[in-house]
Amino acid sequence: SKDNVKVTNVDYNTKLKVNSATRSDSGIYTVFAENANGEDSADVKVTVIDKPAPPNGPLKVDEINSESCTLHWNPPDDDGGQPIDNYVVEKLDETTGRWIPAGETDGPVTALKVGGLTPGHKYKFRVRAKNRQGTSEPLTTAQAIIAKNPFDVPTKPGTPTIKDFDKEFVDLEWTRPEADGGSPITGYVVEKRDKFSPDWEKCAEISDDITNAHVPDLIEGLKYEFRVRAVNKAGPGSPSDATETHVARPKNTPPKIDRNFMSDIKIKAGNVFEFDVPVTGEPLPSKDWTHEGNMIINTDRVKISNFDDRTKIRILDAKRSDTGVYTLTARNINGTDRHNVKVTILDAPSVPEGPLRNGD
């Protein structure tokens, strides 16, 4: 009854010929023979093999991130009469408009993770079934996906504080970021920058959500800044604000007054004089000035300013009474340092009494 089927009967023989066989010609063929003495029949099973039908949809895309995703589909209705060997997947980056290979499954599994995506680009995918006869027509995704993480990097942590230090290390502590970006924080990266380097470099890594770190291998005497980034699945987030500049130094040293800044002076009355003296020591020493053994306090004319690394005394409108020995004393739990400086105020001589007379 079909156009491509031809039956030829001759004596004692019958012939069935199917031209351009397709999969739909597969099945059981039965031949009947009959005469006055009875009848007979025989069945023959015919399988027409071909490449498979396309895989069945939907072609689902999940586990999307900035670099990969996973595809899922269903087997074809018709395997072409031979087992499916595997599936072949292609991807199309909408910026190029070309289909390129994206991978093959290992055996007839109906899922594949596709990597090598470019973050932020739009992709379509298609999948074909393959058997020994060839490869099917494709099943294609209904719409494009964007290669992006379902979460962001964390926001910046709090500014680190230095909880402990010595000449070769600091111990830092900070607060967690306000937002983890939608994915749990898995750790932190600590970065340092020294005075001679404009670039931040990684100096410690914490592989847990712990908000403190030990930073070793500092060089004594160098000035450093430190900052922290939180890390989640999307990667390291924005850096925290940097710490105050920290000089790598011993934690316990006795005070030391820089004597180069305390040289004896002579000055005319009415002028200003000052001493600005560097003082080191850990912990930070107290700094006190005395004049001829008497503690100096701030007045309209006398100003003492103490800073972490130095102390400054400034005296306006110098008077004869400012002459004498000034002593700076620096103290901490590790010791005391003291140094004297001598100040001489030269007053103008009193006006001579008149009248002037020409020489005798």
Side-chain angles (χ1 to χ4, degrees):
S1 63
K2 287 187 177 180
D3 293 342
N4 64 336
V5 178
K6 188 178 179 189
V7 178
T8 310
N9 288 324
V10 296
D11 287 352
Y12 305 111
N13 186 271
T14 182
K15 184 176 179 183
L16 173 77
K17 185 177 182 184
V18 179
N19 292 313
S20 304
T22 65
R23 286 284 291 151
S24 61
D25 294 318
S26 299
I28 306 289
Y29 288 77
T30 305
V31 58
F32 286 97
E34 188 179 14
N35 68 11
N37 300 305
E39 60 182 41
D40 195 11
S41 70
D43 291 344
V44 60
K45 184 180 180 187
V46 174
T47 304
V48 180
I49 56 177
D50 195 2
K51 65 185 185 183
N56 270 316
L59 180 45
K60 288 189 200 154
V61 189
D62 61 19
E63 295 177 21
I64 301 167
N65 61 44
S66 61
E67 293 167 359
S68 69
C69 63
T70 301
L71 308 180
H72 304 268
W73 59 91
N74 292 301
D77 290 332
D78 179 11
D79 65 6
Q82 285 199 311
I84 303 286
D85 290 332
N86 70 344
Y87 294 90
V88 180
V89 175
E90 296 172 295
K91 64 185 177 185
L92 176 138
D93 182 335
E94 288 195 345
T95 57
T96 67
R98 284 197 317 274
W99 287 102
I100 60 169
E104 297 191 15
T105 62
D106 184 12
V109 293
T110 56
L112 182 71
K113 182 174 181 178
V114 176
L117 306 184
T118 303
H121 283 212
K122 287 186 175 179
Y123 288 90
K124 284 185 175 173
F125 301 94
R126 65 187 187 188
V127 57
R128 302 169 188 262
K130 189 169 154 188
N131 67 10
R132 286 174 64 187
Q133 300 307 308
T135 307
S136 73
E137 292 300 305
L139 165 71
T140 305
T141 46
Q143 58 201 56
I145 62 106
I146 299 175
K148 74 178 282 295
N149 290 321
F151 39 79
D152 296 313
V153 296
T155 56
K156 69 179 188 178
T159 308
T161 54
I162 295 171
K163 303 305 283 184
D164 196 7
F165 67 90
D166 214 324
K167 58 187 176 183
E168 292 173 353
F169 77 85
V170 293
D171 286 338
L172 301 174
E173 199 171 82
W174 59 89
T175 53
R176 298 180 81 253
E178 285 181 13
D180 64 11
S183 172
I185 289 170
T186 54
Y188 293 88
V189 172
V190 182
E191 297 172 330
K192 73 179 179 193
R193 178 171 72 178
D194 70 54
K195 192 183 175 187
F196 301 106
S197 159
D199 300 321
W200 290 93
E201 59 175 281
K202 185 160 73 176
C203 58
E205 225 168 337
I206 296 90
S207 55
D208 206 346
D209 189 4
I210 295 169
T211 55
N212 55 69
H214 178 77
V215 179
D217 304 326
L218 304 182
I219 297 167
E220 185 177 357
L222 276 191
K223 290 183 177 177
Y224 291 95
E225 293 174 294
F226 303 93
R227 70 182 190 184
V228 186
R229 298 172 186 265
V231 181
N232 69 6
K233 257 188 180 170
S238 308
S240 70
D241 294 337
T243 58
E244 299 284 323
T245 302
H246 171 81
V247 178
R249 61 190 190 274
K251 187 179 177 186
N252 279 295
T253 52
K256 186 155 179 50
I257 294 166
D258 192 332
R259 282 142 170 76
N260 295 322
F261 292 80
M262 293 182 72
S263 301
D264 294 351
I265 58 168
K266 293 183 178 178
I267 188 172
K268 287 183 179 173
N271 284 343
V272 174
F273 69 92
E274 72 173 28
F275 296 99
D276 190 349
V277 186
V279 180
T280 58
E282 290 295 334
L284 287 175
S286 64
K287 305 174 217 27
D288 297 307
W289 290 89
T290 59
H291 175 227
E292 294 293 332
N294 298 311
M295 182 69 71
I296 301 173
I297 54 169
N298 282 330
T299 65
D300 289 345
R301 213 166 54 80
V302 179
K303 178 85 165 89
I304 295 173
S305 307
N306 283 332
F307 306 93
D308 284 356
D309 59 348
R310 60 196 174 92
T311 179
K312 185 171 172 181
I313 183 168
R314 180 177 170 87
I315 297 180
L316 309 176
D317 187 20
K319 301 189 181 311
R320 286 281 288 166
S321 59
D322 295 326
T323 294
V325 174
Y326 289 76
T327 304
L328 170 60
T329 305
R331 283 189 188 85
N332 70 10
I333 54 170
N334 298 302
T336 302
D337 194 17
R338 189 176 279 114
H339 190 59
N340 297 331
V341 63
K342 193 172 180 188
V343 175
T344 307
I345 309 298
L346 305 171
D347 205 349
S350 51
V351 179
E353 292 180 6
L356 284 175
R357 296 198 304 263
N358 285 332
D360 296 320

